[in-house]
Amino acid sequence: MKAIVHTGPRSIEIREREEVVPADDEVRVRVHSAGLCGSDAHAYKYEDGYEWIPMPRIMGHEYSGEVVEVGDDVTDFSVGDHVVEEPIHDCGSCFQCKNGQPNVCQNFEITGMHNDGAYTEYTTVKPRDLHHIPDDLPLGQASITEPLSIATRAVFDQSNVTPGDTVLVEGPGPIGVLVAAVADAMGADVIVSGLGKDTEYRLPLVEQLGIETADIQTTDLEDTVETRTDGIGFDVVFDTTGHKSGVEMAIEHVRKGGQVVVVGLPGAPSEVFMTPVVRGEVDVNTSYGSTWQNFEQAIRLLSAGAIDADAIIDRSFSVDEPTAAFEAFLESETCKPVFSFTDI
């Protein structure tokens, strides 16, 4: 079977691998569509924090597919079922798992990093890590369930956003776009900020979704705060930039008594002056990964048409030339590349 294999820093190859066979407690899934996300791009560059990934490794953890074979002990899934995988596998036995926090499990494993992933034609999965996809949801759209589940957690669980709130989302990457789309769908007044490099593809994508944008390299965000919030500041700011300046900027533009939710992973320490944060009683929260419930929320949003998946997904990149997708992603020339492995 064909597979996209990570072989080293900024090095990926197309290789033929032996077809996988499910164990008695697994199912075999024919991959339909598999997306590229920020963590895949960081791993592709082999940045600090990703150097533990063993090479060679089949990448990919956001995908949708069809069950084509079930192990003898499997009862929850049948051949023909459409599914998505929860790629962060918790251990189920550590304190966090028992405490209802499996997304921050002490002993987690991630598909495509700790073990081979979904950038291939077939993969095997344990049923506990799968979700059923309803028949009315196309598999191509379902491929963004995993990143959308991260957004549903950030907005529904980790933030205080309510309809009518003013919301700033910093960063128009995949998670930022989906966070903005979820907040917009629930009736918040959303604006997404980006940099000059985002004006070619990512900010126009956000505008296509009907959400306002701001290029902070040509627009003074203070003016936006003045016009959008009467100078008070945003009710909630989501930092999805993955840069240390994101947290600092979020604190500058949130209102007193407002909330900052950090979703991106800054690669360097931030220097935050905490006195105005304390005096303003600003709630600084974080959001990491997602849970079973967040996946179900994401599936329902997609099935209801509340998220324009077809606008967000970029299908222009070929499985046979994956490097182009990674390099375009790193240059902000695309937002959510999705590789198509089958046409079912």
Side-chain angles (χ1 to χ4, degrees):
M1 63 181 187
K2 181 188 295 185
I4 297 174
V5 181
H6 190 193
T7 56
R10 257 188 161 97
S11 175
I12 48 180
E13 299 176 5
I14 302 299
R15 294 185 179 180
E16 287 293 326
R17 304 290 287 268
E18 289 188 12
E19 285 199 12
V20 291
V21 177
D24 289 345
D25 63 345
E26 294 179 327
V27 304
R28 185 161 73 118
V29 177
R30 178 166 58 177
V31 176
H32 180 280
S33 300
L36 189 161
C37 81
S39 60
D40 293 318
H42 292 309
Y44 164 70
K45 293 198 297 181
Y46 226 47
E47 292 180 353
D48 290 346
Y50 294 86
E51 68 280 356
W52 54 267
I53 300 174
M55 301 292 168
R57 171 65 77 218
I58 298 176
M59 305 179 75
H61 62 273
E62 313 174 353
Y63 73 98
S64 59
E66 178 182 344
V67 175
V68 293
E69 186 179 353
V70 297
D72 292 340
D73 297 337
V74 175
T75 59
D76 296 340
F77 290 87
S78 303
V79 171
D81 286 349
H82 288 182
V83 295
V84 293
E85 178 186 349
E86 279 192 56
I88 300 179
H89 301 166
D90 61 82
C91 70
S93 58
C94 71
F95 174 84
Q96 280 72 20
C97 286
K98 292 180 177 180
N99 198 45
Q101 300 167 304
N103 59 306
V104 288
C105 168
Q106 293 183 35
N107 309 302
F108 68 91
E109 293 186 349
I110 302 178
T111 297
M113 294 185 183
H114 289 89
N115 45 57
D116 282 341
Y119 284 173
T120 185
E121 296 177 84
Y122 296 93
T123 188
T124 56
V125 195
K126 293 186 184 297
R128 72 181 294 266
D129 298 314
L130 289 175
H131 290 255
H132 286 278
I133 294 298
D135 293 338
D136 63 353
L137 177 57
L139 278 171
Q141 295 181 12
S143 64
I144 65 167
T145 300
E146 192 272 344
L148 182 55
S149 75
I150 293 173
T152 61
R153 178 168 185 79
V155 178
F156 295 153
D157 294 353
Q158 300 299 98
S159 86
N160 299 325
V161 173
T162 59
D165 280 352
T166 56
V167 172
L168 171 64
V169 179
E170 298 174 345
I175 300 303
V177 169
L178 290 169
V179 165
V182 172
D184 179 69
M186 68 180 295
D189 178 16
V190 184
I191 186 168
V192 177
S193 66
L195 303 174
K197 66 179 182 179
D198 300 314
T199 59
E200 293 299 316
Y201 185 97
R202 293 182 172 183
L203 291 179
L205 167 61
V206 173
E207 291 166 2
Q208 184 181 343
L209 298 175
I211 300 170
E212 291 189 41
T213 65
D215 171 8
I216 63 172
Q217 287 185 308
T218 60
T219 302
D220 189 343
L221 205 50
E222 288 293 343
D223 293 339
T224 303
V225 172
E226 187 66 36
T227 57
R228 295 294 290 266
T229 73
D230 292 328
I232 296 171
F234 290 95
D235 294 309
V236 180
V237 180
F238 292 92
D239 171 30
T240 72
T241 61
H243 191 275
K244 67 173 187 175
S245 63
V247 179
E248 299 160 7
M249 187 172 70
I251 288 171
E252 288 178 14
H253 298 117
V254 71
R255 67 170 174 82
K256 288 186 175 182
Q259 184 185 45
V260 171
V261 181
V262 183
V263 189
L265 298 174
S270 295
E271 296 181 4
V272 176
F273 182 42
M274 289 299 296
T275 296
V277 177
V278 176
R279 285 178 173 167
E281 204 171 54
V282 173
D283 176 21
V284 180
N285 201 2
T286 59
S287 186
Y288 179 75
S290 58
T291 64
W292 182 91
Q293 180 187 40
N294 302 135
F295 263 77
E296 290 296 308
Q297 291 168 333
I299 292 168
R300 292 173 187 176
L301 285 172
L302 289 168
S303 187
I307 305 296
D308 190 349
D310 286 332
I312 295 169
I313 292 170
D314 182 357
R315 297 183 174 89
S316 66
F317 295 96
S318 168
V319 170
D320 296 318
E321 297 180 354
T323 299
F326 281 86
E327 293 296 333
F329 183 93
L330 290 169
E331 294 299 320
S332 300
E333 296 170 354
T334 185
C335 184
K336 178 48 67 178
V338 171
F339 299 114
S340 297
F341 286 89
T342 63
D343 57 5
I344 54 175

